[in-house]
Amino acid sequence: MLQSLLDTFFSFKAYVMLPIIIFMIALLVGLSLRKSFIAAVELAVGFAGVFIAFDFFVANIKPAVEQLSVMRGLDFPVLDVGWPPLAAITWASPIAAIAIPFVLVLNLALIAIGVTRTIYIDIWNYWHFAFLGALVMNISGSMAMGLLATAILAIYCFKLTEWTAPDVEREMGLKGVSASPVSVNGIVPYTALVNALIDRLPVLNKIEYNPEKNTDTDSDNPILALLSEPMVIGILMGLALAVAAGYDLKQSLELSVHIAAVMFILPKCAGLIGEAMVPITAALRSRVEKYFPHRTNLVVALDTGFLMSHKSVIVTGLILMACAIVIALILPGNKVLPLGDLPNLISVMSISVLMFRGNVFRAVLAGIPVIVTFLLVATELAPKYTALAAQTSAFNTDGMGLITAFTDGGHQVRYLLYSLFQGEWFAVILAALLLVAMWFTRRRWKALTKNGH
């Protein structure tokens, strides 16, 4: 019965089910019926707008990217179809029905005993934890091992969400909120180390390109002010991609305007999400702190949609999308051309951009190795994903060949834990390095909270 309920729940779009959950939470924490309903509708519209914009973006750039690869005579046998097959693999696994409530109870228990301050209400993204559990259970045959892997990844995200809350408050003005997805939190320790390294490098530590700070009134550098507008970057990216793909003038201009439109719509939709969550987050934190008086400064974990109102986040994502296409074309060993998961780079790098204080230069510099590892891991695991997806009825793989997901399928920390459970020696070394990076990130968080960001 539990499996049936979960199947029904996750058959709905995130922008349908998540607002319903938030509506019920808002009522439970004491918001009026009117405020709860308005917030839920704003949240639904905001998330729906983000999904629609991403789908429109992919539909427009897919033909251009495919034509570009044909013109260069390149063959990419692995198809980037995005996250749907990974979710299908998760729900088809026996572990899914247990993993979802297991993570919820684990979160509440860790809050109660003071191990974490994160309230992980983004139930839709629980499938990321369960997906690792499904992979580990598939290779080990043990549900206990699958649940252990699920718990490790969940706790990792609880802590990283907590440790990045000061960055969100400083850059976005939102207190007690941070990003929830595994794809975002996974690279946070890496980002903390890269930022500290750049701080110590002459010349590089002086370069700053922050669209959030630059305005059209900047008379000192009008060109930089112009390039601080996501719509302008969208126009330029569209023209560059169209020229590279051999488009004619009409096609080139249409593609440029379409990408610019997406860059305009995303921040507007994100603003709705942020506006909707402010009263709910405040009420939720207040209610939880009432029952756990010693658990102050709680952090609510949300999907990254609310961060897309930040200009630096949008510009970084757009530049890295162009970089991802170029890297995919020339990277030795890569067999996947990023398409379905390409817009997810905006989300993946969102918290990192805030950690870099909106400096797009640093974020792009740090994002290039992230893209390289995404491509290589997504390529390596494609046969595994294809075989498992073919065994499910929720995703049709007929005629697709090998499939993967550029960001979700190439996620570094999930791959590390998956390899660790297989007993790979390199994973042991990388896990030790990750723990050191986490310790460094925790020190950074303590310094930020002590010094007021």
Side-chain angles (χ1 to χ4, degrees):
M1 186 178 69
L2 182 59
Q3 180 69 58
S4 177
L5 288 172
L6 286 172
D7 289 342
T8 301
F9 177 85
F10 286 101
S11 67
F12 290 90
K13 297 288 187 181
Y15 53 76
V16 173
M17 292 309 300
L18 188 58
I20 293 174
I21 295 170
I22 296 299
F23 174 72
M24 293 187 291
I25 290 175
L27 291 176
L28 288 173
V29 297
L31 284 186
S32 67
L33 177 63
R34 178 184 175 279
K35 287 184 177 180
S36 299
F37 182 73
I38 293 298
V41 171
E42 286 182 337
L43 193 71
V45 172
F47 271 116
V50 170
F51 275 76
I52 292 168
F54 277 173
D55 289 344
F56 181 75
F57 180 86
V58 172
N60 275 273
I61 68 164
K62 183 178 179 180
V65 174
E66 289 177 339
Q67 185 168 323
L68 176 60
S69 65
V70 170
M71 288 178 62
R72 291 179 58 89
L74 299 174
D75 179 35
F76 293 93
V78 179
L79 182 64
D80 170 24
V81 293
W83 58 268
L86 309 187
I89 292 168
T90 303
W91 307 135
S93 172
I95 202 173
I98 300 174
I100 305 303
F102 171 69
V103 171
L104 181 60
V105 172
L106 176 65
N107 184 214
L108 294 174
L110 293 181
I111 293 173
I113 64 177
V115 172
T116 184
R117 292 188 176 96
T118 298
I119 310 172
Y120 209 97
I121 63 173
D122 186 13
I123 296 176
W124 174 261
N125 276 315
Y126 278 25
W127 77 265
H128 289 279
F129 309 137
F131 178 53
L132 175 63
L135 291 177
V136 170
M137 184 176 172
N138 179 262
I139 60 172
S140 67
S142 168
M143 182 172 288
M145 294 295 284
L147 288 174
L148 176 61
T150 300
I152 291 172
L153 187 56
I155 294 171
Y156 175 86
C157 280
F158 296 163
K159 297 307 296 182
L160 271 300
T161 297
E162 179 182 336
W163 295 342
T164 53
D167 297 286
V168 175
E169 183 177 352
R170 182 190 65 244
E171 300 297 322
M172 304 290 298
L174 298 173
K175 183 177 176 59
V177 185
S178 194
S180 59
V182 172
S183 56
V184 180
N185 285 321
I187 62 173
V188 163
Y190 160 78
T191 299
L193 291 175
V194 169
N195 197 36
L197 175 63
I198 295 177
D199 279 339
R200 290 161 176 78
L201 294 176
V203 182
L204 288 182
N205 60 7
K206 302 297 182 184
I207 301 175
E208 182 172 5
Y209 167 34
N210 190 336
E212 192 68 19
K213 290 183 178 179
N214 296 320
T215 66
D216 56 4
T217 59
D218 287 334
S219 56
D220 292 341
N221 198 334
I223 294 178
L224 186 60
L226 186 65
L227 293 177
S228 295
E229 290 297 333
M231 288 186 294
V232 174
I233 300 294
I235 288 283
L236 295 176
M237 178 186 171
L239 285 173
L241 181 57
V243 170
Y247 276 15
D248 60 27
L249 180 61
K250 175 178 177 293
Q251 291 173 311
S252 300
L253 294 176
E254 287 177 351
L255 178 61
S256 299
V257 172
H258 288 164
I259 295 178
V262 172
M263 295 306 106
F264 174 80
I265 292 169
L266 279 177
K268 302 299 181 183
C269 296
L272 273 178
I273 298 170
E275 182 180 328
M277 288 307 303
V278 168
I280 298 172
T281 299
L284 177 60
R285 293 175 70 235
S286 176
R287 181 58 61 93
V288 173
E289 288 171 2
K290 177 181 177 181
Y291 289 104
F292 301 103
H294 302 297
R295 307 291 176 253
T296 57
N297 299 320
L298 294 171
V299 178
V300 177
L302 299 174
D303 193 69
T304 53
F306 75 102
L307 299 177
M308 293 180 191
S309 60
H310 197 288
K311 284 185 178 180
S312 294
V313 169
I314 297 294
V315 171
T316 298
L318 198 55
I319 293 173
L320 285 176
M321 285 184 224
C323 292
I325 295 171
V326 174
I327 293 170
L329 294 174
I330 63 176
L331 180 64
N334 173 53
K335 297 180 181 179
V336 57
L337 188 63
L339 287 173
D341 243 8
L342 187 60
N344 201 33
L345 280 175
I346 300 177
S347 173
V348 167
M349 293 301 297
S350 58
I351 283 292
S352 294
V353 172
L354 303 189
M355 292 172 70
F356 289 127
R357 297 178 180 266
N359 190 338
V360 172
F361 171 77
R362 292 193 180 193
V364 171
L365 201 62
I368 290 173
V370 172
I371 290 170
V372 170
T373 50
F374 274 153
L375 290 169
L376 295 179
V377 173
T379 296
E380 180 179 337
L381 293 182
K384 183 74 174 179
Y385 296 151
T386 306
L388 291 176
Q391 297 171 14
T392 73
S393 57
F395 188 85
N396 186 8
T397 60
D398 292 345
M400 287 188 173
L402 289 174
I403 59 172
T404 192
F406 166 49
T407 60
D408 283 324
H411 186 259
Q412 300 88 349
V413 173
R414 186 188 289 118
Y415 175 69
L416 169 60
L417 293 174
Y418 175 65
S419 301
L420 195 62
F421 276 88
Q422 291 188 95
E424 299 285 355
W425 64 268
F426 74 88
V428 177
I429 298 173
L430 291 178
L433 293 175
L434 178 61
L435 289 174
V436 172
M438 289 180 67
W439 171 80
F440 179 84
T441 307
R442 183 173 181 272
R443 282 189 60 192
R444 175 186 180 276
W445 164 71
K446 283 192 168 185
L448 288 176
T449 52
K450 182 179 179 180
N451 300 326
H453 318 322

